[in-house]
Amino acid sequence: MADCEGLEEMVNDLRRHGFEAESASTGAAAMASYRSFDVVLIDLDLTDFDGLTLCREIRNASDIPMIGFASLRELDRVLALEGGCDDCIAKPYRSRELMARIEALLRRVRMATQPTLSAGRLEICPALREVRLGDQPVELTRKEFELLRLLAGEPDKVFTRAELLRRIWAYDNVGEEVTSLASRTIDTHLSSIRKKLGSAHWIITVRGVGFRFNEQTPEPDPADAGRSGGAAG
């Protein structure tokens, strides 16, 4: 990060939240070291360098995520975004807001860099947040997409209900025994995914343990084939 007001306090705050943060007190120092980090935080009011110029130079050289710190004026925040920042926070910043914005930005970056997942006719594209079954798009809600992507990303793993709640619904204090309401929430989402994919075979229930993704292309449902044949005849 470069020259944010209360720099030392911000570094300590980031470290308390689990980030490995380092400061750069000048624009030149930021240019020399930014490639070693996952996110760059830039105060637009630098002492030795125009903050917007620093944003543009970093953006021209790299796709690294950047968050700018600007005054309350809307124009300053717009200029920061136009200069290459992925997000902008008004000064003085609030700690919880900053941490939330950093986490959200990192999630978007991780999602965009994940490869397309394929299993038979099913394709899951994290970068575009798209699911296709053959040549047909499958419309999923945000939680449904995240749930399917998680299961499909680790097809050899059985996910417990508690783990799904922690990783998809961000429940921090959930034990292995989950409430009936939470269980119904998971079941409702999985039922909807199965229905939209046209088969229950994509997601398998491991009784007493949890759920796993089935990489094998589901066999056609004889009942469906019978109905199709009846309609045709």
Side-chain angles (χ1 to χ4, degrees):
M1 65 189 66
D3 203 34
C4 295
E5 187 176 346
L7 186 57
E8 184 176 353
E9 180 181 349
M10 180 183 288
V11 169
N12 291 334
D13 191 20
L14 288 163
R15 288 173 177 169
R16 281 195 299 271
H17 284 83
F19 295 101
E20 296 181 10
E22 299 292 340
S23 63
S25 58
T26 66
M31 283 297 299
S33 62
Y34 76 87
R35 294 183 185 276
S36 302
F37 299 91
D38 296 322
V39 180
V40 176
L41 310 179
I42 299 178
D43 191 330
L44 300 187
D45 298 321
L46 297 175
T47 56
D48 72 325
F49 210 90
D50 175 59
L52 288 174
T53 300
L54 176 61
C55 290
R56 294 189 189 100
E57 291 202 4
I58 291 178
R59 179 55 69 234
N60 287 337
S62 170
D63 291 328
I64 190 169
M66 290 192 295
I67 297 177
F69 292 80
S71 69
L72 291 172
R73 292 197 315 157
E74 180 183 0
L75 177 60
D76 290 339
R77 299 197 298 277
V78 170
L79 289 174
L81 296 172
E82 290 179 347
C85 288
D86 299 280
D87 200 351
C88 190
I89 297 179
K91 298 187 295 184
Y93 80 95
R94 292 179 174 82
S95 176
R96 289 184 63 183
E97 179 186 5
L98 175 59
M99 303 310 155
R101 288 178 180 267
I102 291 175
E103 291 287 0
L105 183 54
L106 288 174
R107 281 197 302 272
R108 292 199 298 270
V109 170
R110 286 192 291 266
M111 189 75 74
T113 56
Q114 288 180 348
T116 296
L117 302 172
S118 298
R121 298 170 55 242
L122 181 65
E123 288 192 351
I124 305 166
C125 180
L128 300 177
R129 298 188 71 87
E130 288 183 352
V131 176
R132 300 188 71 85
L133 192 59
D135 58 355
Q136 296 298 316
V138 180
E139 298 296 332
L140 300 180
T141 67
R142 184 170 64 87
K143 287 297 186 191
E144 289 170 357
F145 179 87
E146 292 174 359
L147 187 53
L148 179 61
R149 180 191 59 80
L150 176 64
L151 294 169
E154 299 181 60
D156 297 327
K157 178 175 179 177
V158 178
F159 289 85
T160 65
R161 292 176 181 273
E163 187 168 6
L164 293 178
L165 287 173
R166 285 192 290 266
R167 296 182 63 173
I168 302 299
W169 281 270
Y171 285 20
D172 294 327
N173 300 316
V174 61
E176 288 307 310
E177 293 295 327
V178 303
T179 66
S180 58
L181 178 61
S183 290
R184 285 197 299 273
T185 296
I186 294 172
D187 290 340
T188 298
H189 281 76
L190 290 175
S191 176
S192 178
I193 294 170
R194 287 163 168 157
K195 182 177 180 180
K196 291 177 179 180
L197 293 180
S199 173
H201 293 83
W202 289 109
I203 299 174
I204 296 175
T205 300
V206 181
R207 192 172 300 278
V209 183
F211 308 91
R212 71 172 179 85
F213 183 76
N214 182 18
E215 289 186 290
Q216 302 301 317
T217 302
E219 293 294 329
D221 190 328
D224 290 339
R227 284 193 293 270
S228 297

